[in-house]
Amino acid sequence: MNDNIISMNDYTKFPPEAQEIIRRQNAVIIKQNMTIAELMARIADLESRLNMNSSNSSKPPSSDGLAKPTAKSLRKKSGKKPGGQKGHKGHGLKIEREPDEVVMVEPVSCSECGAALFDEPTFHADTRYVYDVQIEIKLTKYDIRE
């Protein structure tokens, strides 16, 4: 029984006018409790609708809005930093043919003091390969004679 409602045993201790007020108040309390129960059920239903998305209902993914689900990776953390690890020999780009042109890049002056290096001996410091993609457009005119 509800704690707010006065039982029939306690009822008779009051004068008849008070008993009538208590009866009406008890009826109001019972009606309010029923309304509260209905509203709580409605709130629970609406909250369950709010929590629905395409993964737990038959709604299409486009109805999920802009919120993206968090990615759940199955990979475990290795503890290593991203990128190449120390001691790993790189493989680089394999050049599988002879270059079409070889350009010798000779220094003209010293990069530190600025002295001319025309007659000074030089050594091989580095090799670089450059792939140039050339698109050739050929226009052909056909003169048709009869």
Side-chain angles (χ1 to χ4, degrees):
M1 183 166 251
N2 197 329
D3 294 337
N4 297 331
I5 298 175
I6 298 174
S7 68
M8 292 302 280
N9 295 338
D10 296 335
Y11 220 40
T12 56
K13 297 178 185 175
F14 297 104
E17 303 89 29
Q19 288 179 10
E20 181 58 32
I21 292 172
I22 292 171
R23 259 191 227 106
R24 280 190 262 140
Q25 287 177 341
N26 282 347
V28 168
I29 291 171
I30 290 170
K31 196 172 190 180
Q32 287 174 340
N33 286 342
M34 290 172 52
T35 303
I36 289 171
E38 289 172 9
L39 291 175
M40 292 296 282
R42 181 166 167 88
I43 288 171
D45 179 51
L46 292 174
E47 283 178 343
S48 69
R49 280 194 210 171
L50 261 179
N51 293 331
M52 284 187 179
N53 58 30
S54 62
S55 64
N56 61 13
S57 71
S58 61
K59 293 173 68 174
S62 61
S63 68
D64 287 347
L66 297 177
K68 301 276 185 217
T70 55
K72 295 175 186 152
S73 176
L74 299 176
R75 293 178 62 185
K76 304 282 188 256
K77 291 196 176 208
S78 66
K80 295 179 181 178
K81 290 185 176 182
Q85 302 300 311
K86 286 187 179 180
H88 175 70
K89 184 180 181 305
H91 298 288
L93 178 66
K94 294 194 186 223
I95 306 297
E96 297 180 356
R97 64 186 190 103
E98 288 296 313
D100 298 323
E101 180 182 4
V102 176
V103 178
M104 295 291 257
V105 180
E106 301 271 348
V108 178
S109 61
C110 177
S111 60
E112 295 189 17
C113 68
L117 299 175
F118 290 114
D119 294 331
E120 298 296 322
T122 59
F123 63 94
H124 180 263
D126 196 7
T127 300
R128 304 282 172 103
Y129 289 91
V130 175
Y131 282 94
D132 282 333
V133 178
Q134 295 179 358
I135 298 174
E136 184 178 310
I137 298 174
K138 182 179 177 184
L139 176 64
T140 305
K141 176 182 175 185
Y142 294 92
D143 284 333
I144 301 171
R145 301 182 181 237
E146 288 186 21

